[in-house]
Each structure stands twice: as structure tokens, then as C-alpha cells.
Amino acid sequence: MAKVAINLSTGALQQEEVIVGIDLGTTNSLVAYIHPETKKPVAINDLGRGTIVPSVVHFTQNGETIVGNEAKEYLTTDPANTIYSVKRLLGKSYKDLGEHKDYFGYKIIDDDSEGLVKIRAGDKFYSPIELSAEILKELRERAEHALKTPVNRAVITVPAYFNDSQRQATRDAGKLAGLEVLRIVNEPTAASLAYGIGIDPSEEKTIAVYDLGGGTFDISILSLHQGIFEVLSTHGDTYLGGDDMDRAIINYWIQENQLVADTLNEDKNLQQELRLKAEEAKKALSQQQIYTSKVNDIECGITRHKFEELIAPIVAKTIDSCRQAMGDAKLKPEQIDAVIMVGGSTRVPMVYETVSEFFGKPANNTLNPDEVVALGAAIQADILSGNRKDILLLDVTPLTLGIETMGGLMDSIIPRNSKIPTKAGRQYTTSIDGQVNMKISVYQGERDLVKENRKLAEFDLKGIPAMPAGFPKVDVNFILNADGILKVEAIELRSGVRQEVEVKPQYGLTDSQVEQMLMDSITHAREDVSARMVIEARTTAEQMLYQVERFLEKNSQHLTEEEIKMTQENLKKLRDVLPSGDKDQILKAVDTLEEQTSPFAERVMQISIKQAMAGKKIE
Ligand code: AMP
């Protein structure tokens, strides 16, 4: 295996090996690299299949996994085993999904908890991390095939509004795909880099990045100062994009042809054909004034003028978001130095004109809007690889800093390669009723299990008021200053109890030890992630067992004998399967118990409401 050298003061990796930039998108993903001769970023087009890889994963009957265009074809024929838009689920709990859970055509496990969502396809359970890893694997393989070299390292982009757990999930997906993720970069930052903004560290700029894709819209306002991009504000709509334009065209054709919407609803093939035709019309209208075609006997004609009238409300909504983002950043349009267009839907002339008009200057649209984020990620990868001698790298932390959570897992708080000074935090809670102390163990390293990492400190947060499990809110904050000193503080928010320690993470570590720790994390990446998943499944199962057992103790009078017997059987099944270490078996048993017992909670709640009402006397 190749040796990785790392410069501790800059975090730069000193090795001539290709590092790719990846845009892991909701609908489409791309991988790019810096061409060794032209030194320009190029999106990889392997085997002439195009640069765009649809972010769709299909599981075939015989256990194969297909990704991309080929998988997309199964969206209509086998929706239960064809997963799309997985980015919307990354780092989310079922509760986070709320009203949007019906949007998905596949089964999302409803364990109605703070736990992360899981997807069921056939008899297997997948986390959004595993599914994203399948997409990343495909991109990696295409890059390796096209460039004829192994690809082990990448920079991956995420939306500016992604929170810590969504970013961590993206890192884990990379790891699972066999990639060392050098940095997670904001998509608008990558788009700016692609236009050459941010390369010169003396440049000071305020930038608006307008990103209108197929299904999502976001606007980010960034400020560039001393080589650092800062996100001033973001706004958007995660369910607005080019698909809505296609739907507007279809509705227009339905009206013009006096079709009955109900008959259309029954004819899936016709629906699909109309959808494709509408997208074709929309794209054509970006070049021409009029479009005419037919689907069976249905006239599919539309002028650009009519199209613009139909999409005016969609465009207006995006401008409202821009106004909001500008307000949040406390800026006026004239204070924006550059506007950058990202996403296929910015090819619509009306979108380009309206955005340019709002900001009072022509937007940048010379690069391919589908590729711009991946191209910028490739530039960031090149900077990190130390290939660009003209660019100064800022001080970064060479190893991840985090704390131990349930099952001995490492929960990273400040990921490696973060610029310092930096501050990050996360909220935790108790796992047992009446728990009054919480042990905070601070670790450094890249491995998923803390026992493989380096322990930096440990302290007890004492005096948490006795509350049911899950009630206390403990904020753990990591503050790493410019001298590399880490302050860790833990605060229980309800009571205000507080405790802190200070450590110097780099103390006593030589460069070669850091190097060894990085190498180990790369060699063990896959087994580490699998071990993490089993531990997570087991933790979910243990919590479920605890809750259901307590529920039975307290509320068995409201259940029938048959129900109690069934619950006990399912509890036993779960307890029996727990030591197996088989993640799918464990999650299946959790799912069965959940499905069987979830109506009980509602029933008991109704009874207690009734009792409470009955207890209230009317004077
Ligand atoms: P993205 O999610 O960024 O890949 O954007 C895909 C969206 O861009 C889809 O809704 C496409 O229909 C749309 N799109 C692609 N090319 C064009 C075009 N020439 N004119 C209008 N919309 C386009």
C-alpha cells in the first residue's frame, strides 16, 4: 500500500495520486478530477455514458446492486426496490421527515423515534449511508476505469445548510465506499471555486450562489475573506425545481386537450410518456420559441411565452427566497459582487434573466451548471493535495476529535482537516431513567470504535436532575483555538450544571504516529463501518426492549391476554437474535416488535386523556 505523508501544519497530503471531487446530488451525482496536462477540472465521462450518474440504486431479485441510468429504469417497474433521493434521508430521523414521508416510493422503517431512518428493500435493511455509499462506489469505479488508476481519496460536497449529522453521514458513506474523505465542502463554495473565486487569498468578495435543480432549490450567500468562505445565510425549498416546471406543462396539455385527469391517473405508461415529453419541451424552449409534438393523439405544443407564464410562480418563489436570504445576511443586492448559477434548471432563460435582474448584474453561467459543483470539488481536492503551490493552506486539525457514545462508538465532533480555530458541538441525552451522571470521554482518531483511538481526557458531568431517559439535554461543545488547545465543555441545559476540561490533542504525538493512525483508518475502514452498524442496530434494539418492557409493566391492564402473549413472544425473539451480530436480523426483529406494539401507545394515551377529562368537574 502507498505511503501517505501528511504535513502537520497544513494538513496537506504529499503524494502524487489523483484525488477526485464528488458532487453527491439528490437526483444526479458526478465525479471530476484535475487533468494532469491542462491542469483544468474535468467531469469524468466513463465509457461515453455521460458525466451525470442518476443518484438511483436498484436491488435486483438475485441480489445485485445497480446504480445510475440503468437503475432509473426500475423506478416505474419495481419501485419498492429502487431507491431515489436518498440524500433527503441522510442523517435524518424518522421524526425529521414529518409530512414528507409519503414522498418516497419505497419502504422507510417507521420506528417513530429519534433514531436514524432505515430503508427496507426485500429482506434487507439499509441505512441512507449504505445507499449513498453505493452511489459513491459507482462513481469511484467509473473514475478508476476512466483514469486507469486506483482512486482512494475524495472531496465530497454537501449543501451549505447540511447539519453536523448530515455531514458526518456523508463522510461515513465515503468511508464505506472505500474513499478517504479529505474534506466535506459546501456546494456553493465549490461552485465559487469552479469560477476561480477564492483561489487568490487576498480576494474579498460577497457571493450569491443560486442553485435550481430538478427537485430542490437553494440560495446561499457567502463571504470570502482571507481565503475562507463563510456562509452568511441560506434559504430555499427542498421540494421545488425543474420537476415542478414539467408538471406545469403537463397540466397545460391536459387542459388544452380536454383530458380527464382521472383516466390519466390510471395509465402509468401515458403518464411517464407525457412527463418525458414535457421535460423535452422545457429543454427545447431554452433554445427556441416554440415546441410542437404529439403523444398518441395528444397535441403537445407550447410556446416559450406560455411556458414562462406557467413557471412565473415557481421563479417568483425562488426570488422570494433570495430576498429572504439577503435579509438574513443583512445585505442589499448591490453589495453582492458575483452571482453564480448552479443546477440544470438555471438554463431556462427566464430564470437566468430574473436572477440577474434581482441582483442587478449578469449572473455567471459560462460553466455547465450540472457540472460546476463537481468541478469545484476537484479544484478543492487539488488544493488539498498540495499540487497548487500558489495557494496557502490554512492550519487544520490532522486527526478527528470526538467523544464516546453508546456501545463504545466514536462520535466525531471536529472532523480531521477542519480549519482552526474552530468550534463545534452536539446534543446528547441519557439512556437510563433517573441517570444523574454522564461520563464524557474525549478521543482523537479516525477509527469507528473508541478503543482503537487515542484517549485524551475523561470527566463526569455530575448533578443532572433525575429525569426519565431521553429528557435531559446535554450540550457537548469542542472549542479548538489557534494554538491547538482543545476545550471541552458539557452543559445540561435544563438544570445548567456544567463541567469542562482543557487538553492539547497534539501533545506527545509524532508525525509518524499521526501517519500510522491515518493509514490504519484507511485499511480498516470497511470493517469499522460494518462494526458501527451492528452496534447501532444493537443499541436501537436494546432501547426498544427497555421501552417495551417498561410499557408492559405499567400498562398491561389495557392490553388483552393475546396481545401480552404476542408482545412477550416478539420481545423474546428480539432478545434471542441480539447476540447474533446480524444487523438485518436484529432490525427485522425490531421492526416486527415495533409494528405489533405501536398501536398500544396510542390506545393508552386515549384512555389517559379520557380519564383526565372525566376527572375534571364542571362547576
Ligand atoms: P440537476 O438536479 O441540477 O441535475 O438539474 C436537473 C434539472 O434541470 C431537471 O429538471 C432538468 O429537466 C433541468 N434541465 C436540464 N437541462 C435543461 C435545459 N436545457 N433547460 C431547462 N431545464 C433543463
Side-chain angles (χ1 to χ4, degrees):
M1 170 151 309
K3 210 165 150 60
V4 182
I6 179 164
N7 178 332
L8 275 190
S9 62
T10 61
L13 289 149
Q14 289 149 352
Q15 192 195 31
E16 298 284 320
E17 191 196 286
V18 58
I19 306 179
V20 293
I22 293 180
D23 171 6
L24 180 62
T26 310
T27 349
N28 295 313
S29 297
L30 291 92
V31 52
Y33 81 120
I34 300 290
H35 195 283
E37 275 143 38
T38 62
K39 308 281 179 219
K40 293 241 157 48
V42 190
I44 294 172
N45 178 355
D46 182 40
L47 293 174
R49 286 176 286 182
T51 55
I52 292 176
V53 180
S55 308
V56 183
V57 182
H58 173 68
F59 297 102
T60 65
Q61 301 298 341
N62 47 17
E64 264 181 288
T65 309
I66 310 176
V67 176
N69 269 320
E70 229 186 298
K72 207 172 161 183
E73 287 168 20
Y74 290 95
L75 278 174
T76 37
T77 53
D78 189 8
N81 295 307
T82 311
I83 321 293
Y84 58 93
S85 280
V86 68
K87 188 175 177 180
R88 296 186 191 277
L89 304 174
L90 258 189
K92 298 245 170 125
S93 70
Y94 194 78
K95 272 192 178 147
D96 292 335
L97 292 186
E99 55 177 307
H100 291 301
K101 53 192 167 215
D102 297 332
Y103 167 90
F104 302 91
Y106 42 88
K107 181 163 165 47
I108 296 175
I109 307 307
D110 176 3
D111 69 357
D112 196 26
S113 71
E114 306 283 351
L116 299 179
V117 295
K118 301 232 165 32
I119 293 120
R120 185 172 187 165
D123 237 8
K124 287 212 152 189
F125 291 80
Y126 298 95
S127 69
I129 296 176
E130 289 169 287
L131 296 164
S132 303
E134 292 298 339
I135 300 168
L136 291 172
K137 255 188 236 162
E138 174 73 21
L139 295 171
R140 179 185 177 202
E141 279 164 18
R142 287 193 187 198
E144 289 186 330
H145 188 256
L147 307 179
K148 301 189 176 51
T149 174
V151 172
N152 299 315
R153 285 179 283 160
V155 164
I156 306 179
T157 59
V158 297
Y161 57 79
F162 253 30
N163 66 22
D164 201 40
S165 87
Q166 292 168 302
R167 284 166 199 264
Q168 187 55 41
T170 308
R171 271 181 186 277
D172 287 346
K175 223 169 166 182
L176 199 56
L179 289 168
E180 189 196 348
V181 182
L182 291 188
R183 190 173 284 176
I184 296 287
V185 179
N186 285 331
E187 288 161 9
T189 301
S192 305
L193 283 170
Y195 276 100
I197 302 171
I199 306 281
D200 171 4
S202 64
E203 198 179 15
E204 307 264 304
K205 271 206 161 100
T206 311
I207 311 136
V209 181
Y210 178 101
D211 182 348
L212 187 62
T216 63
F217 165 68
D218 51 274
I219 171 83
S220 311
I221 312 294
L222 311 177
S223 99
L224 173 64
H225 177 67
Q226 293 181 343
I228 299 181
F229 283 96
E230 189 191 346
V231 180
L232 299 180
S233 66
T234 65
H235 206 270
D237 186 334
T238 43
Y239 291 85
L240 183 72
D243 299 347
D244 298 289
M245 299 184 183
D246 303 346
R247 259 189 299 274
I249 297 178
I250 298 172
N251 288 339
Y252 169 68
W253 288 339
I254 291 178
Q255 227 176 35
E256 288 295 291
N257 289 278
Q258 295 173 343
L259 299 177
V260 184
D262 278 354
T263 34
L264 201 68
N265 278 344
E266 281 154 24
D267 192 342
K268 290 266 181 268
N269 278 339
L270 181 60
Q271 260 180 40
Q272 176 74 351
E273 270 186 70
L274 279 176
R275 217 185 49 72
L276 292 175
K277 197 52 98 182
E279 187 177 11
E280 186 181 292
K282 172 185 75 176
K283 289 185 180 174
L285 291 177
S286 292
Q287 312 292 332
Q288 61 206 49
Q289 295 294 335
I290 187 157
Y291 175 88
T292 44
S293 186
K294 264 188 171 191
V295 169
N296 307 338
D297 294 338
I298 306 167
E299 293 286 348
C300 298
I302 185 165
T303 63
R304 186 187 285 184
H305 183 76
K306 185 72 206 176
F307 173 62
E308 292 184 345
E309 191 184 303
L310 296 176
I311 64 164
I314 298 171
V315 182
K317 254 190 179 172
T318 70
I319 297 296
D320 279 347
S321 280
C322 293
R323 206 169 281 124
Q324 183 92 33
M326 294 294 286
D328 292 347
K330 301 196 174 44
L331 289 172
K332 296 201 175 64
E334 54 272 24
Q335 290 171 285
I336 296 289
D337 301 305
V339 183
I340 292 174
M341 298 300 246
V342 179
S345 301
T346 59
R347 290 199 182 91
V348 173
M350 185 196 191
V351 170
Y352 177 78
E353 284 149 21
T354 316
V355 174
S356 299
E357 195 182 320
F358 174 78
F359 288 102
K361 54 188 66 67
N364 286 289
N365 70 342
T366 48
L367 293 173
N368 180 334
D370 294 316
E371 294 180 357
V372 58
V373 168
L375 298 179
I379 295 176
Q380 178 72 72
D382 200 38
I383 296 174
L384 284 174
S385 69
N387 287 342
R388 295 189 170 220
K389 302 284 181 272
D390 49 328
I391 297 172
L392 178 80
L393 275 174
L394 300 140
D395 274 357
V396 295
T397 74
L399 292 169
T400 299
L401 298 164
I403 68 167
E404 177 176 358
T405 54
M406 300 268 285
L409 287 178
M410 169 90 170
D411 203 17
S412 47
I413 307 234
I414 298 181
R416 112 182 174 77
N417 265 333
S418 300
K419 292 180 198 118
I420 56 173
T422 185
K423 211 177 128 180
R426 204 173 276 184
Q427 200 166 78
Y428 297 90
T429 188
T430 51
S431 53
I432 302 168
D433 286 346
Q435 186 178 336
V436 291
N437 288 343
M438 192 183 233
K439 193 187 279 309
I440 313 280
S441 305
V442 184
Y443 283 85
Q444 174 182 45
E446 307 312 304
R447 305 288 298 274
D448 285 86
L449 299 179
V450 291
K451 68 176 171 38
E452 314 282 358
N453 288 332
R454 186 170 178 247
K455 192 177 203 169
L456 295 177
E458 186 173 279
F459 63 92
D460 277 319
L461 179 66
K462 290 190 180 141
I464 301 172
M467 284 183 253
F471 270 70
K473 287 188 176 157
V474 178
D475 265 359
V476 175
N477 296 315
F478 276 36
I479 301 135
L480 189 58
N481 73 14
D483 300 323
I485 298 186
L486 174 71
K487 185 163 96 177
V488 179
E489 59 171 24
I491 315 164
E492 200 289 305
L493 297 181
R494 293 180 197 268
S495 60
V497 291
R498 188 172 181 286
Q499 185 75 38
E500 67 173 53
V501 287
E502 259 186 26
V503 273
K504 185 145 199 212
Q506 253 40 21
Y507 187 75
L509 256 195
T510 63
D511 286 11
S512 63
Q513 280 170 318
V514 172
E515 217 178 88
Q516 189 56 47
M517 287 172 88
L518 287 175
M519 284 308 293
D520 286 348
S521 75
I522 299 164
T523 354
H524 298 284
R526 273 168 226 244
E527 58 193 85
D528 271 15
V529 182
S530 327
R532 171 184 282 271
M533 284 175 178
V534 174
I535 293 174
E536 280 173 356
R538 214 180 264 160
T539 306
T540 309
E542 278 163 2
Q543 281 168 344
M544 182 86 193
L545 283 172
Y546 181 70
Q547 280 165 6
V548 176
E549 279 164 0
R550 259 188 345 165
F551 184 89
L552 271 192
E553 274 168 30
K554 284 190 191 157
N555 300 300
S556 53
Q557 72 273 23
H558 302 308
L559 307 183
T560 66
E561 251 170 55
E562 182 59 24
E563 283 171 338
I564 295 174
K565 193 165 151 253
M566 185 83 179
T567 312
Q568 266 155 353
E569 270 169 25
N570 282 330
L571 277 170
K572 181 173 179 320
K573 272 189 205 145
L574 180 55
R575 249 184 255 117
D576 288 348
V577 80
L578 206 50
S580 72
D582 181 332
K583 168 191 82 132
D584 290 311
Q585 291 292 332
I586 297 174
L587 289 174
K588 201 167 158 187
V590 169
D591 197 30
T592 313
L593 182 60
E594 169 67 38
E595 264 182 28
Q596 186 234 331
T597 56
S598 61
F600 299 167
E602 171 110 356
R603 187 190 312 161
V604 171
M605 180 122 83
Q606 292 298 342
I607 293 170
S608 51
I609 292 173
K610 264 192 209 139
Q611 284 171 346
M613 300 288 274
K616 269 194 193 135
K617 293 209 175 69
I618 298 167
E619 303 283 69

Short mmCIF file of all heavy atoms in Angstrom, two decimals, residues 163 187 241 256 306 319 338 348 358 409 483 499 517 522 604-605 614:
data_model
loop_
_atom_site.label_atom_id
_atom_site.label_comp_id
_atom_site.label_asym_id
_atom_site.label_seq_id
_atom_site.Cartn_x
_atom_site.Cartn_y
_atom_site.Cartn_z
N ASN A 163 -26.56 19.88 8.33
CA ASN A 163 -26.08 19.98 9.71
C ASN A 163 -24.97 18.97 9.94
O ASN A 163 -24.58 18.21 9.05
CB ASN A 163 -27.25 19.82 10.69
CG ASN A 163 -27.85 18.43 10.64
OD1 ASN A 163 -27.19 17.48 10.21
ND2 ASN A 163 -29.08 18.31 11.07
N GLU A 187 -21.48 22.99 -1.23
CA GLU A 187 -21.70 23.07 -2.68
C GLU A 187 -21.49 24.50 -3.22
O GLU A 187 -20.81 24.67 -4.23
CB GLU A 187 -23.10 22.54 -3.03
CG GLU A 187 -23.17 21.03 -2.87
CD GLU A 187 -24.59 20.49 -2.76
OE1 GLU A 187 -25.56 21.26 -2.98
OE2 GLU A 187 -24.74 19.29 -2.45
N GLY A 241 -38.37 22.68 -8.01
CA GLY A 241 -37.33 22.60 -9.04
C GLY A 241 -37.91 22.33 -10.42
O GLY A 241 -39.10 22.56 -10.67
N GLU A 256 -55.53 21.85 -22.42
CA GLU A 256 -55.67 22.16 -23.84
C GLU A 256 -56.34 21.03 -24.61
O GLU A 256 -57.07 21.26 -25.56
CB GLU A 256 -54.29 22.42 -24.46
CG GLU A 256 -53.66 23.73 -24.04
CD GLU A 256 -54.44 24.93 -24.53
OE1 GLU A 256 -54.45 25.17 -25.75
OE2 GLU A 256 -55.07 25.61 -23.68
N LYS A 306 -45.91 31.10 -23.33
CA LYS A 306 -46.86 30.39 -22.46
C LYS A 306 -46.10 29.71 -21.30
O LYS A 306 -46.52 29.74 -20.15
CB LYS A 306 -47.63 29.34 -23.29
CG LYS A 306 -48.72 28.62 -22.53
CD LYS A 306 -49.88 29.56 -22.29
CE LYS A 306 -50.67 29.17 -21.08
NZ LYS A 306 -51.73 30.15 -20.80
N ILE A 319 -37.22 33.79 -6.05
CA ILE A 319 -36.76 35.18 -5.80
C ILE A 319 -37.15 35.60 -4.37
O ILE A 319 -36.38 36.29 -3.69
CB ILE A 319 -37.32 36.15 -6.88
CG1 ILE A 319 -36.77 35.76 -8.26
CG2 ILE A 319 -37.00 37.60 -6.54
CD1 ILE A 319 -35.26 35.89 -8.44
N ALA A 338 -20.65 38.82 -6.94
CA ALA A 338 -20.78 37.82 -8.00
C ALA A 338 -21.98 36.92 -7.73
O ALA A 338 -22.25 36.57 -6.58
CB ALA A 338 -19.51 36.97 -8.08
N VAL A 348 -32.92 27.69 -18.05
CA VAL A 348 -34.16 28.33 -18.53
C VAL A 348 -33.88 29.84 -18.62
O VAL A 348 -33.53 30.45 -17.61
CB VAL A 348 -35.33 28.04 -17.56
CG1 VAL A 348 -36.57 28.82 -17.94
CG2 VAL A 348 -35.61 26.54 -17.51
N PHE A 358 -32.67 40.62 -10.43
CA PHE A 358 -32.82 40.80 -8.97
C PHE A 358 -31.51 41.30 -8.36
O PHE A 358 -31.50 42.21 -7.53
CB PHE A 358 -33.27 39.50 -8.30
CG PHE A 358 -33.29 39.59 -6.79
CD1 PHE A 358 -34.36 40.23 -6.14
CD2 PHE A 358 -32.26 39.09 -6.02
CE1 PHE A 358 -34.37 40.35 -4.75
CE2 PHE A 358 -32.27 39.20 -4.63
CZ PHE A 358 -33.33 39.83 -4.00
N LEU A 409 -18.77 3.53 20.60
CA LEU A 409 -18.57 4.13 19.28
C LEU A 409 -17.97 5.52 19.40
O LEU A 409 -18.21 6.24 20.37
CB LEU A 409 -19.92 4.24 18.56
CG LEU A 409 -20.52 2.96 18.05
CD1 LEU A 409 -21.87 3.23 17.40
CD2 LEU A 409 -19.59 2.30 17.02
N ASP A 483 -3.97 27.86 18.81
CA ASP A 483 -2.75 27.19 19.28
C ASP A 483 -2.94 25.68 19.40
O ASP A 483 -2.07 24.99 19.93
CB ASP A 483 -2.35 27.74 20.67
CG ASP A 483 -2.10 29.22 20.60
OD1 ASP A 483 -1.56 29.66 19.58
OD2 ASP A 483 -2.47 29.93 21.56
N GLN A 499 -19.51 21.44 33.24
CA GLN A 499 -18.19 20.89 33.56
C GLN A 499 -17.31 21.06 32.34
O GLN A 499 -17.79 20.96 31.21
CB GLN A 499 -18.38 19.40 33.88
CG GLN A 499 -17.16 18.67 34.36
CD GLN A 499 -16.85 19.03 35.80
OE1 GLN A 499 -17.77 19.20 36.60
NE2 GLN A 499 -15.57 19.19 36.12
N MET A 517 -1.88 6.36 12.29
CA MET A 517 -3.30 6.36 12.64
C MET A 517 -4.16 6.55 11.39
O MET A 517 -5.20 5.92 11.24
CB MET A 517 -3.59 7.48 13.66
CG MET A 517 -3.05 7.15 15.05
SD MET A 517 -3.17 8.54 16.19
CE MET A 517 -4.81 8.29 16.84
N ILE A 522 -7.63 3.86 7.12
CA ILE A 522 -7.93 3.53 5.72
C ILE A 522 -8.01 2.02 5.55
O ILE A 522 -8.95 1.49 4.96
CB ILE A 522 -6.87 4.15 4.78
CG1 ILE A 522 -6.88 5.68 4.92
CG2 ILE A 522 -7.12 3.75 3.34
CD1 ILE A 522 -5.67 6.37 4.35
N VAL A 604 -53.32 3.72 24.97
CA VAL A 604 -53.12 4.12 26.36
C VAL A 604 -53.26 5.63 26.51
O VAL A 604 -53.85 6.13 27.46
CB VAL A 604 -51.74 3.63 26.87
CG1 VAL A 604 -51.42 4.20 28.23
CG2 VAL A 604 -51.74 2.11 26.92
N MET A 605 -52.77 6.34 25.49
CA MET A 605 -52.88 7.80 25.53
C MET A 605 -54.35 8.21 25.53
O MET A 605 -54.77 9.05 26.33
CB MET A 605 -52.17 8.38 24.32
CG MET A 605 -52.22 9.87 24.27
SD MET A 605 -50.58 10.50 24.24
CE MET A 605 -50.24 10.34 22.51
N ALA A 614 -62.52 13.01 32.44
CA ALA A 614 -63.55 12.59 33.39
C ALA A 614 -63.28 13.18 34.78
O ALA A 614 -64.19 13.48 35.54
CB ALA A 614 -63.59 11.07 33.47
#
